[in-house]
């Protein structure tokens, strides 16, 4: 493998920059009109422009000629869909089998619970709601359309014409959202904590700038559309728990697929005032919040003593796999 390729979106800048830093050539597959950042920041040696995401398959032979390995991220998974991802012939970093578990909220919830993590309570029907809840629709749509309800009437008053959509009713946990950036190396059998972020979401993070009286006057409803991320460090005494939770999900994942979870992943958590982590989601690949650490985080600095983004860490794993002739361990 001599080239690292990814889709131009999500975390492509750090994936491509990290690949360059590790000595790889880089290739970016971009939808027409979205090439500017990848040109301007100088991270892509080659850009393949496509009209629609499905057109990627017309260019697979080019990626194969270049001896490329493809690094997936959430946007690529959302654009192509899991079924099409399973047909990709270009070498792919990560375990494809874990994607269908991640995409199914029930299976995902079972994974987290069986790994021993604390998860928010899930209510099977609106009639069961007995506390503040967040209602989430399926599919990673950046939290768009989510709403809060604290009883059955409140649910029906807001669900309206989306009643037949796929949704989950989850206990609303009051605390601070904290996204943990992990990397598990299958080559060295080591779990690393590369950083943390918190999200900047519209409109909940804007509502906090208004007095309660104005919020009521404007008749505002909370929404959770991600617009950006902030870097974060956590209270140091929480770190042992952070490592413990990451190891538990990796270990349990081996019961779910033959290879299990490896590479970059994230636990999306809320930390309560009694310092409990409630894990509301797992992302089984690089999360966009790692973009806050393109030049490394305080934790990756401790571990590597050089700039180490999650994107670069992925490239380093691919490099080590090539050097040790163990590529099968990192390709899914
Ligand atoms: P993603 O966009 O990664 O799929 P979610 O859709 O599960 O994440 O959540 C979007 C946002 O909603 C989170 O960033 C968080 O602010 C909020 N949130 C999600 N679940 C809960 C919960 N159980 N309690 C409180 N806030 C939550």
């Amino acid at each position: 493998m001599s080239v690292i390729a990814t889709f131009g979106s999500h975390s492509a800048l750090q994936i491509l920059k990290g690949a360059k830093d590790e000595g790889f050539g880089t290739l970016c597959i971009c939808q027409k009109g979205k090439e500017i950042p990848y040109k301007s920041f100088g991270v892509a040696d080659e850009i393949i422009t496509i009209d629609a995401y499905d057109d990627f398959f017309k260019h697979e032979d080019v990626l194969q000629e270049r001896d490329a390995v493809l690094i997936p991220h959430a946007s690529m998974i959302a654009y192509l869909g899991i079924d099409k991802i399973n047909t990709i012939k270009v070498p792919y970093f990560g375990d494809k089998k874990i994607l269908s578990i991640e995409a199914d909220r029930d299976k995902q919830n079972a994974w987290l619970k069986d790994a021993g993590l604390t998860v928010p309570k899930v209510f099977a029907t609106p009639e069961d709601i007995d506390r503040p809840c967040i209602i989430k629709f399926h599919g990673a749509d950046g939290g768009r359309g989510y709403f809060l309800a604290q009883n059955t009437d409140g649910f029906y008053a807001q669900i309206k014409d989306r009643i037949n959509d796929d949704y989950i009713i989850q206990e609303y946990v009051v605390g601070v959202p904290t996204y943990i950036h992990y990397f598990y190396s299958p080559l060295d059998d080591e779990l690393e904590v590369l950083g943390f972020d918190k999200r900047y979401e519209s409109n909940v993070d804007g509502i906090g700038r208004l007095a309660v009286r104005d919020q009521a006057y404007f008749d505002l409803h909370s929404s959770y559309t991600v617009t950006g991320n902030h870097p974060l460090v956590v209270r140091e005494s929480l770190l042992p728990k952070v490592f413990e939770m990451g190891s538990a999900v990796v270990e349990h994942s081996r019961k779910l697929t033959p290879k299990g979870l490896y590479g970059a992943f994230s636990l999306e958590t809320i930390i309560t005032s009694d310092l409990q982590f409630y894990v509301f989601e797992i992302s089984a690949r690089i999360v966009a919040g790692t973009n806050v650490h393109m030049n490394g985080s305080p934790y990756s600095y401790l571990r590597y003593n050089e700039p180490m983004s999650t994107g670069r860490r992925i490239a380093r794993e691919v490099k080590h796999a090539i050097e040790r002739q163990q590529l099968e361990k990192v390709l899914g």
Side-chain angles (χ1 to χ4, degrees):
M1 311 279 80
S2 50
V3 166
I4 279 189
T6 198
F7 277 63
S9 186
H10 192 266
S11 45
L13 288 172
Q14 59 157 312
I15 291 172
L16 299 173
K17 168 76 170 104
K20 269 182 169 297
D21 290 344
E22 292 300 307
F24 289 94
T26 56
L27 190 157
C28 187
I29 305 120
C30 261
Q31 209 183 12
K32 200 182 256 168
K34 296 190 176 167
E35 307 90 341
I36 297 165
Y38 309 98
K39 281 187 183 154
S40 171
F41 293 117
V43 293
D45 295 330
E46 186 177 359
I47 295 181
I48 296 181
T49 307
I50 53 179
D51 288 322
Y53 287 104
D54 270 6
D55 291 346
F56 162 75
F57 291 95
K58 294 184 193 155
H59 299 276
E60 264 205 289
D61 51 341
V62 179
L63 271 74
Q64 284 173 311
E65 271 164 32
R66 302 280 189 277
D67 203 14
V69 55
L70 185 64
I71 313 295
H73 52 58
S75 302
M76 175 187 130
I77 293 162
Y79 297 147
L80 293 182
I82 295 174
D83 291 345
K84 291 226 169 100
I85 284 180
N86 282 320
T87 68
I88 291 176
K89 293 192 285 290
V90 176
Y92 172 103
F93 180 84
D95 184 10
K96 284 181 191 157
K97 294 201 174 71
I98 211 89
L99 294 177
S100 56
I101 296 167
E102 184 202 6
D104 180 321
R105 284 211 197 255
D106 296 332
K107 286 187 186 160
Q108 194 190 114
N109 219 34
W111 174 9
L112 297 172
K113 261 168 112 169
D114 294 345
L117 307 193
T118 307
V119 299
K121 190 174 161 62
V122 172
F123 294 91
T125 71
E127 283 64 35
D128 296 333
I129 298 176
D130 66 358
R131 65 192 79 180
C133 285
I134 179 165
I135 290 80
K136 305 180 184 183
F137 296 95
H138 278 226
D141 195 16
R144 203 166 296 140
Y146 292 8
F147 65 90
L148 306 178
Q150 58 177 337
N151 51 40
T152 309
D153 288 348
F155 171 90
Y156 285 112
Q158 295 177 83
I159 188 86
K160 296 188 184 130
D161 56 351
R162 297 197 72 177
I163 189 72
N164 293 320
D165 288 1
D166 244 351
Y167 59 80
I168 184 172
I169 306 171
Q170 202 176 66
E171 169 186 11
Y172 187 86
V173 182
V174 179
V176 291
T178 303
Y179 295 73
I180 312 170
H181 313 154
Y182 292 102
F183 189 91
Y184 172 69
S185 163
L187 298 175
D188 295 325
D189 184 23
E190 187 186 340
L191 177 81
E192 299 167 24
V193 171
L194 291 180
F196 300 85
D197 76 282
K198 75 191 266 277
R199 288 183 178 172
Y200 202 39
E201 294 166 332
S202 188
N203 58 13
V204 280
D205 288 312
I207 284 179
R209 292 160 54 90
L210 296 173
V212 170
R213 192 191 50 198
D214 297 327
Q215 293 176 17
Y217 175 65
F218 291 145
D219 190 23
L220 291 174
H221 291 262
S222 313
S223 62
Y224 298 84
T225 308
V226 181
T227 61
N229 305 76
H230 300 284
L232 194 75
V233 290
V234 296
R235 208 174 145 135
E236 197 155 315
S237 59
L238 294 174
L239 286 176
K241 182 71 184 170
V242 166
F243 279 94
E244 191 189 301
M245 292 190 301
S247 297
V249 287
V250 170
E251 195 158 324
H252 189 76
S253 71
R254 298 197 186 116
K255 295 186 182 149
L256 306 175
T257 73
K259 280 191 179 173
L261 177 66
Y262 61 85
F265 70 98
S266 173
L267 289 179
E268 311 190 353
T269 74
I270 310 267
I271 310 177
T272 59
S273 52
D274 55 355
L275 300 178
Q276 298 300 310
F277 282 92
Y278 280 77
V279 182
F280 63 88
E281 193 161 313
I282 181 166
S283 295
R285 27 85 207 153
I286 185 168
V287 282
T290 59
N291 286 336
V292 299
H293 302 305
M294 292 215 201
N295 200 32
S297 75
Y299 303 96
S300 70
Y301 169 70
L302 292 172
R303 179 71 176 69
Y304 288 98
N305 216 15
E306 65 180 320
M308 184 60 69
S309 66
T310 295
R312 184 170 183 182
R313 183 64 191 85
I314 292 170
R316 184 159 293 185
E317 193 76 358
V318 175
K319 191 163 93 179
H320 285 167
I322 296 166
E323 286 164 2
R324 299 181 204 174
Q325 298 186 325
Q326 294 187 323
L327 264 172
E328 77 291 347
K329 282 197 173 175
V330 302
L331 301 181

